[in-house]
Amino acid sequence: MTEKRIALLELIEKIERLGQFQERIDFPSSVNQIWQAFLADVQNLIESDVCALFLVDETNNEFALKYSVPENMAKHCRKEIDLQIECGIFSWIINRRQPALIPALSFDKEKSIVMLPLSTVKRTLGAAMILTPIQESHITHENLKLLTLLTKEFSLVMENNQLVERLRKKQLSLEKANKEIKLLSRIDSLTGCYNRGYLNELLPREITRALRYKRPLSLAMCDIDHFKKINDTYGHQCGDEVLKKLVLCISELIRADTDWLARYGGEEFLIVLPETRLRNASGLAERLRKNIAKNPIATPKDNISITASFGVTGFNSSNSTQNITPEALLSMADKYLYTAKNQGRNKVVSGSFKG
């Protein structure tokens, strides 16, 4: 086999390998993984002392150094690019979109720089810089063609990887937005606690869980006493402040990891207390009642003293075989709340659930 034939076969093999660059990259990959694969191919084509990757910063469209090999040459690489920009060669190469061998300005004057613009049909991604001992008269047309092919493959992989990353971020952003929308659909817009719709969704699950595992569950229905009078005297804006401050007052005393609070209607709130026996639920309601009564609520117009009445009910493992519905449990809590109101308000009335 002649030397020319051997050289031709070697060239074809190199072209085939470079053409398979994209196939050797798994998506998504880090920029560093793609860069390392690119370096391996570059070093098979030409002798290199220093290699650097510059990527366009999308916020300011400037070329920022991403990697340098070896790392301790980063400062020299940045200086080289600055000098090439200053003399106008760098912009000429970027606009031309073709690899070029140029004299080194920051490194040893006997060295050359191979500048490889990274670009696709749509945009410029950056540039790869290679410091080499090869002089302009010694680089072959073949090597430049191979470097051009490799650079195009590298650019396409980089663009595809950036697209995958943007889609991933967009997906995460969309998922986050959907979660926020879902959360907002569960939240009472005024007070920030759960709304009646979420109460209707979650309470049946709490009851089912408690019955299945024979665990206690209690409810405390809370109603602000004479709330209409507050609205009539101070206005609805102050009334809204009272509702918001009441929710904060309750939230401070219930367990954040298990208990939860929902706005049942106007000035009525329901405190759901999983893993809580009736006696303990009644004790909590009493602490809440006292805390509300002794802490006037500051509003833009005045400090407003309020009281609240509580109706508390629940069940434990001894009667957990009953068929307990959310409607029946809520009705029982409401019944005890009505009793507290009739007994003069600012009271806690409790009793076991009676199906």
Side-chain angles (χ1 to χ4, degrees), residues 64-77:
L65 178 63
K66 185 70 175 179
Y67 299 111
S68 69
V69 180
E71 292 183 7
N72 61 1
M73 300 304 292
K75 183 177 179 180
H76 290 283
C77 292

Side-chain angles (χ1 to χ4, degrees), residues 256-267:
D257 54 341
T258 54
D259 306 336
W260 50 277
L261 174 67
R263 189 176 181 186
Y264 188 66
E267 67 272 21

Side-chain angles (χ1 to χ4, degrees), residues 65-104:
L65 178 63
K66 185 70 175 179
Y67 299 111
S68 69
V69 180
E71 292 183 7
N72 61 1
M73 300 304 292
K75 183 177 179 180
H76 290 283
C77 292
R78 277 192 291 264
K79 184 177 180 181
E80 181 69 37
I81 286 291
D82 289 341
L83 291 173
Q84 296 290 351
I85 291 173
E86 187 177 327
C87 69
I89 296 177
F90 183 74
S91 59
W92 175 79
I93 294 171
I94 294 298
N95 292 331
R96 186 168 169 263
R97 295 192 169 196
Q98 292 292 328
L101 186 71
I102 56 179

